[in-house]
């Protein structure tokens, strides 16, 4: 069982997938930082100083229960949702561009067809016989 797992794990596809997941996670963090720290503050400034991470609808205000413990407010944080949508759009666009480049490279490979194989000795001999019979 261990040898089967080792064979499975060392296949090229599994290793490529693992590398893709690690790079994708790092790319997601970079995009999240870009959106949260660069894009959304600029958009918020343009639309009048709005901080999107603070945008929320309060369903229930924060309160203190009978035991004296603080009960947090119940919020629908639509600003954070907007930031997540922007994250998704940037990542989706990057993946789209990558797939488009890969498809373009594949089309170039397919566009250059291989030369047809040379005829076999039997075909050459039959062609000579046919030509000889036609000339008679």
């Amino acid at each position: 069982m261990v040898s089967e797992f080792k064979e499975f794990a060392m296949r090229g596809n599994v290793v490529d997938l693992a590398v893709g997941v690690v790079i994708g996670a790092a790319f997601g963090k970079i995009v999240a930082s870009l959106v949260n720290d660069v894009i959304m503050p600029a958009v918020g400034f343009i639309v009048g100083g709005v901080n999107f991470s603070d945008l929320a609808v309060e369903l229930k205000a924060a309160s203190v229960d009978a035991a004296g413990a603080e009960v947090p407010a119940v919020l629908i944080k639509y600003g954070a949702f907007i930031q997540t949508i922007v994250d998704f759009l940037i990542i989706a666009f990057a993946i789209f561009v990558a797939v488009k480049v890969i498809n373009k490279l594949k089309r170039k490979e397919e566009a250059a067809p291989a030369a047809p194989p040379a005829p076999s000795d039997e075909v050459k001999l039959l062609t000579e016989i046919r030509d000889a019979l036609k000339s008679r």
Side-chain angles (χ1 to χ4, degrees), residues 119-135:
S120 67
D121 291 338
E122 294 171 340
V123 172
K124 288 179 185 177
L125 181 61
L126 289 172
T127 304
E128 290 176 10
I129 293 171
R130 181 196 65 200
D131 293 342
L133 288 174
K134 278 186 183 179
S135 66

Side-chain angles (χ1 to χ4, degrees), residues 56-128:
V57 174
E58 186 174 340
L59 299 177
K60 181 181 172 191
S63 62
V64 178
D65 65 4
E70 185 177 332
V71 178
V74 178
L75 304 171
I76 296 177
K77 297 180 178 183
Y78 66 91
F81 181 69
I82 292 171
Q83 287 182 327
T84 303
I85 289 173
V86 173
D87 283 351
F88 169 77
L89 292 175
I90 292 172
I91 291 172
F93 181 73
I95 291 171
F96 169 75
V97 170
V99 169
K100 188 170 181 161
V101 167
I102 290 169
N103 287 340
K104 188 175 182 181
L105 293 174
K106 283 184 181 179
R107 278 190 223 118
K108 283 185 180 179
E109 289 176 4
E110 293 171 1
S120 67
D121 291 338
E122 294 171 340
V123 172
K124 288 179 185 177
L125 181 61
L126 289 172
T127 304
E128 290 176 10

Side-chain angles (χ1 to χ4, degrees), residues 6-98:
K6 185 176 180 181
E7 180 183 338
F8 170 77
M10 296 313 288
R11 283 189 189 148
N13 294 342
V14 175
V15 174
D16 292 344
L17 179 62
V19 169
V21 168
V22 170
I23 290 174
F27 183 70
K29 288 181 181 182
I30 291 169
V31 170
S33 176
L34 173 71
V35 170
N36 295 338
D37 302 330
V38 177
I39 294 174
M40 295 314 282
V43 171
F45 177 75
I46 290 170
V47 296
V50 177
N51 184 356
F52 279 87
S53 61
D54 293 339
L55 294 178
V57 174
E58 186 174 340
L59 299 177
K60 181 181 172 191
S63 62
V64 178
D65 65 4
E70 185 177 332
V71 178
V74 178
L75 304 171
I76 296 177
K77 297 180 178 183
Y78 66 91
F81 181 69
I82 292 171
Q83 287 182 327
T84 303
I85 289 173
V86 173
D87 283 351
F88 169 77
L89 292 175
I90 292 172
I91 291 172
F93 181 73
I95 291 171
F96 169 75
V97 170

